Amino acid sequence: MELVTEVYKISAVFPREDLYGLTSQIRRAAVSVPSNIAEGVARQGSKEYLHFLTVARGSLSELETQLLVARNLGYLQEDSAIFTRVEEVFALLGGLIKAIRGRVKPQDSR
């Protein structure tokens, strides 16, 4: 959730002409991360939770790529703290995925 808030704050200063392009894409990808985690928690069983966690990780990768594009366009500074935050969320999500995988029974993963 903190990542989403940070993304909205930094993207608020992106050029107005990009509001419906990269700015919108970045915001959607950021919101998708906690949304998929929440949906996974609400589902029945570890297998479904794991699925939504991997979708969240995909959205996080998409967000990282879009932030790199924004940096290349000069919308973000080279050393923007948002990249550190993304890496922190990757680590947290990776740890959670590893923990949930340990709970999924072999017959559940078919």
Side-chain angles (χ1 to χ4, degrees), residues 25-82:
Q25 288 288 101
I26 285 173
R27 289 175 172 182
R28 278 195 304 247
V31 169
S32 180
V33 176
S35 297
N36 276 291
I37 294 169
E39 187 168 353
V41 167
R43 297 293 181 133
Q44 299 291 321
S46 298
K47 184 178 176 188
E48 285 184 284
Y49 187 24
L50 183 61
H51 167 75
F52 282 95
L53 290 176
T54 59
V55 172
R57 185 173 55 188
S59 294
L60 189 58
S61 291
E62 183 180 348
L63 172 62
E64 181 180 44
T65 299
Q66 293 161 351
L67 289 169
L68 290 168
V69 170
R71 185 190 66 195
N72 290 348
L73 292 171
Y75 299 172
L76 295 172
Q77 292 184 1
E78 191 76 26
D79 61 348
S80 175
I82 195 68

